[in-house]
Amino acid sequence: MTTAKPGAAQPGASDSGEETLGSFGYAQELKRSLSLTDLVVYGLVFMVPIAPFTIFGVVFNGSKGMVALTYLIGLVAMLFTALSYREMSRAFPIAGSVYAYAGRGINDKVGFLAGWAILLDYLLIPTLLYVMSAAALTSLVPAVPQWAWVIVFVLVNTVVNFLGIESTARLNRLFLFGELVVLALFVGFGLAAVARGENGARFTLDPLLKPELLTPGLIFGALSIAVLSFLGFDGISTLSEEVRGGGRRLVGRATILALCLVAGLFVVQTYVAALLVPGRESFPDGDATNSAFYDIAWIAGGGWLKVTVAVAAALATGIANSLVAQAATSRLLFSMARDRKLPRFLAHVHPTRRTPERAILFVAAISLVLGLFFTGQIDLLSSLVNFGALFSFLMLHVAVFVHFRLRNRSTRWHLHILAPALGFLIIGSVLVNADTRAKIGGLAWLAVGAVVLVFYTRSGRGADLKLED
């Protein structure tokens, strides 16, 4: 399938959903019902506004207590990638995320490898979230084994996603509201505890900056941690074909907005938490680090707040976060299968609910099998997820430069040369310094993808996504 040059469309071009997809050679199959608010909520839930609850101790140790600064650095770093997503979502407002962007922006073979890489991220994210939440809830309810929680999470999320994107959007709003309520409780009680001087706390700028401890090495270490904390905002782009009116601009706008909003929430909660452990630069390894935020919640409001925070964190990852992750993964599979880059049956859309039902069920089956197999292996899953996302981000930045600068001779150097270049350098540095297991597993996954690509190329299957010159 060869398309005309829709990717070069400039602001002011028609934004009709069906016209947009038609110009790329696709029919409108998914249901267009999402608004800007729905997209922002989706992105926030994907990134989890209370994510620092679970990793606060690790980030605190890596930044010597400057946790809030770490998230500000992460925001600046990830803005370059978010800008690249915005530019490509405007040029190519179709499902598939970085698979579609690299495929249309560079060529279909690079697009396949980018899509294959982010599949490692998207296929394993629900599994990772199920395993993390199961471990947390089992610690609170020891009578229920971890595998039972995994099954419950998979069933709940699959049913909601199967009912349609509107059901997913409604539940997203409910979960976001719940997370924000818990977050407000922590911040409110935390500030009150600081005002009372609990645990020797006092108001200070130390969580934002300790000049005597700030070094290039610390900044780089904090950058690596912070970049990974924001993974998930990219999932908004997978919903491009379900936005009302075509959404050529809404997806990019939502991506930037969700990233900035969640960064603000990260900074506020970690700033308050760090104030309640004055004089510290680290927590002891092991349980003390893993439960650091929950112990701080106990200082702020007592045992009830500690339990509330712990349960909220478990449900936010096990249901809310994994719900949107499953939705994003199914749309990526749908997009690649539609182009015959994956088995065609995954591109089937339910005639009434207009959801990629087979892709949803496939993701559920994979998550269930892997969730039961990888129970207790959170570190390994995390490292593999990170590799897939980071590699695909590299391809995204290259696609921006190739499509806008080399192909269309763009003179907007700040968006199409400088931003992707800085984004590439930042993501590349994090990837090079990633966990060794992540690099080994990720490269093995890419090798398998290369073999699959050769098979599809030699068998003559797949769509030609290259733009006409």
Side-chain angles (χ1 to χ4, degrees):
M1 180 187 306
T2 302
T3 67
K5 205 172 184 178
Q10 299 300 319
S14 172
D15 204 27
S16 166
E18 292 192 16
E19 287 184 22
T20 297
L21 279 184
S23 68
F24 287 98
Y26 300 129
Q28 180 68 51
E29 296 181 88
L30 303 178
K31 186 174 183 179
R32 289 192 177 274
S33 59
L34 300 180
S35 64
L36 175 64
T37 300
D38 291 326
L39 293 176
V40 172
V41 170
Y42 178 92
L44 289 174
V45 172
F46 209 147
M47 287 182 283
V48 189
I50 57 175
F53 287 9
T54 59
I55 61 172
F56 178 83
V58 175
V59 181
F60 189 96
N61 291 352
S63 63
K64 295 186 178 179
M66 292 177 283
V67 194
L69 176 64
T70 297
Y71 284 111
L72 284 176
I73 293 174
L75 170 63
V76 173
M78 291 311 293
L79 271 175
F80 297 115
T81 298
L83 285 171
S84 287
Y85 265 103
R86 187 191 70 177
E87 294 303 295
M88 295 306 279
S89 68
R90 290 179 175 179
F92 307 108
I94 53 180
S97 186
V98 72
Y99 156 71
Y101 302 155
R104 301 275 175 177
I106 305 175
N107 63 54
D108 62 322
K109 295 177 178 60
V110 175
F112 176 84
L113 288 178
W116 186 264
I118 207 166
L119 264 180
L120 181 63
D121 173 15
Y122 281 8
L123 284 174
L124 290 182
I125 276 183
T127 302
L128 172 63
L129 298 172
Y130 294 143
V131 170
M132 290 174 61
S133 297
L137 289 178
T138 298
S139 67
L140 295 174
V141 189
V144 181
Q146 292 189 31
W147 60 264
W149 287 116
V150 171
I151 293 175
V152 170
F153 291 147
V154 171
L155 288 176
V156 171
N157 288 336
T158 301
V159 169
V160 175
N161 272 311
F162 197 76
L163 291 175
I165 193 63
E166 291 170 313
S167 298
T168 304
R170 284 194 293 268
L171 199 57
N172 282 342
R173 294 190 182 212
L174 179 62
F175 274 119
L176 180 60
F177 176 77
E179 290 180 44
L180 294 179
V181 167
V182 173
L183 183 55
L185 285 173
F186 172 78
V187 171
F189 278 92
L191 289 174
V194 173
R196 293 194 307 269
E198 294 285 349
N199 198 40
R202 62 184 180 85
F203 289 103
T204 174
L205 292 179
D206 284 352
L208 279 170
L209 183 62
K210 297 178 182 177
E212 69 279 7
L213 298 178
L214 197 61
T215 64
L218 186 142
I219 292 175
F220 179 81
L223 174 63
S224 299
I225 298 171
V227 163
L228 301 178
S229 298
F230 287 103
L231 295 184
F233 70 92
D234 52 291
I236 295 174
S237 62
T238 64
L239 304 180
S240 291
E241 293 180 28
E242 293 162 273
V243 181
R244 290 199 294 260
R248 186 180 287 274
R249 288 185 164 274
L250 291 189
V251 169
R253 194 177 302 162
T255 300
I256 300 292
L257 187 56
L259 182 65
C260 292
L261 286 174
V262 85
L265 295 174
F266 286 175
V267 169
V268 169
Q269 65 193 276
T270 55
Y271 173 77
V272 173
L275 288 178
L276 289 166
V277 284
R280 272 189 177 273
E281 292 181 13
S282 66
F283 294 96
D285 292 336
D287 291 342
T289 293
N290 295 332
S291 64
F293 199 97
Y294 309 127
D295 294 336
I296 292 172
W298 185 87
I299 295 172
W304 72 270
L305 185 58
K306 178 178 179 178
V307 172
T308 300
V309 165
V311 171
L315 294 179
T317 53
I319 296 183
N321 192 193
S322 50
L323 175 70
V324 295
Q326 187 185 49
T329 308
S330 63
R331 271 60 178 182
L332 176 61
L333 292 172
F334 161 79
S335 181
M336 295 182 73
R338 179 176 59 182
D339 292 334
R340 300 180 64 202
K341 297 298 176 67
L342 288 177
R344 183 69 180 176
F345 80 92
L346 292 172
H348 182 269
V349 175
H350 192 280
T352 304
R353 288 182 285 271
R354 297 174 70 182
T355 57
E357 57 174 348
R358 294 178 184 173
I360 291 172
L361 294 175
F362 180 78
V363 175
I366 292 293
S367 298
L368 181 60
V369 172
L370 294 180
L372 298 177
F373 181 79
F374 283 105
T375 297
Q377 301 185 54
I378 295 175
D379 289 344
L380 176 59
L381 285 170
S382 299
S383 62
L384 292 173
V385 164
N386 294 339
F387 181 94
L390 294 174
F391 183 86
S392 66
F393 290 170
L394 290 180
M395 296 300 97
L396 169 73
H397 291 302
V398 173
V400 171
F401 177 75
V402 171
H403 174 71
F404 287 102
R405 177 56 192 158
L406 298 186
R407 181 179 294 139
N408 290 300
R409 302 298 178 187
S410 170
T411 56
R412 303 178 72 186
W413 64 270
H414 58 296
L415 287 175
H416 302 148
I417 300 176
L418 180 60
L422 291 174
F424 187 94
L425 290 174
I426 291 169
I427 299 301
S429 65
V430 175
L431 186 59
V432 167
N433 290 279
D435 184 89
T436 301
R437 293 175 303 170
K439 288 186 281 191
I440 294 174
L443 291 174
W445 175 257
L446 288 178
V448 173
V451 172
V452 174
L453 177 60
V454 170
F455 168 75
Y456 277 120
T457 301
R458 291 189 175 180
S459 64
R461 298 173 62 185
D464 180 9
L465 302 180
K466 201 182 278 189
L467 295 177
E468 292 179 355
D469 294 324

